[in-house]
Amino acid sequence: MWLPSLFASVTLFLLVFVGGVLATVVGLVGYQAPALSAGQLTGLRRGADGAALRLDPGGKAELTKLPTESESGDWFADPPYAVCEGTGNWSTGTTGDRDAVVVRLDSGCGRQTYWKIGGTEGAPELFAQFGDPDAGEVWVLVRG
């Protein structure tokens, strides 16, 4: 009784493992961030605590209570970001393997911040992680 159970278990494991690898390789499994044009990125996006980011078609940006990379770049500061308001500009870029919106302020508050594109085609989001890369604070902006 034990020997047939052993063979059945090993066979089932191999089928599930090989099936998972094949599904991942051919793209049946796995997340793919939406590819958005500059026109699709424009508009108002809102986040927690009244944060807002307006991206205009001409590359201008307007920030309200929006976190940005702090001037010091210290991951362990409390909080590890600067909350800024004002105007600036934006452009598309990449960070790692993901498309992003790069926001630069005209004033001296914070540094340029990469807001990564996430969500789905129907409900895209922008998000940025601040602080420790392994356990940082994530801010999400949704169309609003």
Side-chain angles (χ1 to χ4, degrees):
M1 172 155 174
W2 291 107
L3 192 59
S5 296
L6 173 70
F7 288 128
S9 296
V10 169
T11 303
L12 184 59
F13 169 78
L14 289 174
L15 283 173
V16 170
F17 180 76
V18 170
V21 169
L22 286 174
T24 302
V25 168
V26 298
L28 294 176
V29 177
Y31 172 74
Q32 183 68 26
L36 303 177
S37 68
Q40 291 172 303
L41 291 168
T42 59
L44 178 64
R45 301 192 181 268
R46 296 188 183 275
D49 299 329
L53 173 63
R54 179 179 300 281
L55 303 174
D56 292 332
K60 294 290 182 188
E62 185 178 335
L63 293 74
T64 305
K65 298 181 183 177
L66 192 72
T68 63
E69 292 289 335
S70 67
E71 287 289 332
S72 69
D74 183 7
W75 290 349
F76 301 106
D78 188 27
Y81 52 84
V83 176
C84 300
E85 294 197 18
T87 59
N89 57 53
W90 71 277
S91 61
T92 57
T94 58
T95 176
D97 61 343
R98 192 180 285 260
D99 291 338
V101 173
V102 184
V103 178
R104 295 174 192 87
L105 279 149
D106 294 334
S107 67
C109 182
R111 299 189 299 187
Q112 75 178 12
T113 303
Y114 285 79
W115 288 89
K116 298 175 186 175
I117 298 172
T120 64
E121 288 283 339
E125 300 174 345
L126 298 179
F127 69 94
Q129 181 178 359
F130 300 97
D132 184 353
D134 293 327
E137 189 171 334
V138 176
W139 281 68
V140 179
L141 302 175
V142 295
R143 191 171 295 278

